[in-house]
């Protein structure tokens, strides 16, 4: 195992986990609409779901994609369709005073499953495996997974807290509606660089 790459891997894990993407945008919206405590299963689902995705990809799942290139296209289509669905749900979230009765945050299993159609999660996992793990074996894959797990949960927690703090400003239904529609638009926009929709 090449210990020298760990600092660079940790930096990549931090930057890719902390920057805006589908998970973080949805967590900020969930924090604003449902609060921190009700969003904890969503946060844990992201962290554990990504860990499983990365481990399985590193143990050989990536070879299936290489053998069947059409699977990349299928994944992209599934990602776009599901992200549009999630954006619609965010845009139409109930006002704060009605949220307990009219809506609920994403569950642990939903958040974990979402990683499999999250283009940023795939990009992060594939980059980590091909650039930092490569052919260095199972220990390096495990080290990379632990590195991401260590960085990921605090990062998603910060995005949720940010959303929760914004909720104080979003007590007006008009402002909440504008926030939710902005988050939905940003979620759709997050597809652009990851999927190469511009070309």
């Amino acid at each position: 195992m090449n210990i020298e790459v760990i600092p660079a891997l940790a930096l990549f894990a931090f930057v890719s986990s902390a920057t805006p993407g589908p998970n973080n945008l949805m967590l900020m919206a969930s924090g604003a609409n449902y609060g921190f405590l009700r969003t904890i299963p969503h946060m844990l689902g992201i962290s554990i779901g990504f860990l499983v995705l990365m481990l399985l990809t590193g143990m050989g799942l990536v070879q299936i994609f290489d053998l069947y290139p059409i699977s990349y296209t299928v994944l992209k289509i599934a990602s776009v369709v599901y992200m549009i669905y999630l954006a619609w749900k965010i845009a139409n979230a109930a006002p704060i005073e009605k949220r307990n009765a009219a809506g609920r945050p994403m569950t642990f299993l939903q958040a974990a499953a979402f990683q499999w159609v999250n283009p940023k999660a795939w990009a992060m996992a594939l980059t980590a495996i091909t650039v930092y793990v490569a052919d260095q074996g199972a220990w390096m894959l495990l080290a990379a997974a632990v590195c991401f797990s260590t960085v990921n949960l605090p990062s998603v927690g910060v995005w949720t807290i940010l959303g929760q703090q914004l909720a104080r400003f979003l007590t007006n239904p008009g402002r909440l509606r504008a926030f939710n529609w902005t988050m939905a638009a940003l979620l759709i926009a997050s597809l652009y660089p990851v999927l190469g929709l511009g070309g």
Side-chain angles (χ1 to χ4, degrees), residues 79-116:
S79 297
V80 169
V81 169
Y82 193 62
M83 298 263 287
I84 290 170
Y85 165 73
L86 289 174
W88 178 253
K89 284 189 69 174
I90 290 171
N92 292 285
I96 287 178
E97 64 271 11
K98 297 180 181 177
R99 66 186 174 198
N100 291 329
R104 61 182 178 83
M106 190 175 274
T107 67
F108 173 86
L109 289 177
Q110 288 171 330
F114 173 67
Q115 303 319 299
W116 293 88

Side-chain angles (χ1 to χ4, degrees), residues 27-149:
L27 285 170
M28 190 161 78
S30 184
N33 284 285
Y34 304 108
F36 185 86
L37 290 178
R38 292 186 66 193
T39 305
I40 288 175
H42 187 168
M43 291 187 287
L44 292 174
I46 288 171
S47 294
I48 295 171
F50 180 76
L51 175 68
V52 171
L53 171 68
M54 188 171 179
L55 288 173
L56 291 179
T57 301
M59 290 188 297
L61 187 61
V62 69
Q63 294 172 359
I64 294 173
F65 283 96
D66 290 338
L67 285 172
Y68 304 100
I70 188 70
S71 58
Y72 283 110
T73 303
V74 171
L75 179 63
K76 284 186 178 185
I77 292 169
S79 297
V80 169
V81 169
Y82 193 62
M83 298 263 287
I84 290 170
Y85 165 73
L86 289 174
W88 178 253
K89 284 189 69 174
I90 290 171
N92 292 285
I96 287 178
E97 64 271 11
K98 297 180 181 177
R99 66 186 174 198
N100 291 329
R104 61 182 178 83
M106 190 175 274
T107 67
F108 173 86
L109 289 177
Q110 288 171 330
F114 173 67
Q115 303 319 299
W116 293 88
V117 294
N118 179 355
K120 185 181 178 188
W122 276 103
M124 288 165 57
L126 292 172
T127 300
I129 289 163
T130 56
V131 174
Y132 299 101
V133 176
D135 57 355
Q136 295 186 59
W139 284 110
M140 192 59 196
L141 175 61
L142 186 59
V146 168
C147 185
F148 266 93
S149 297

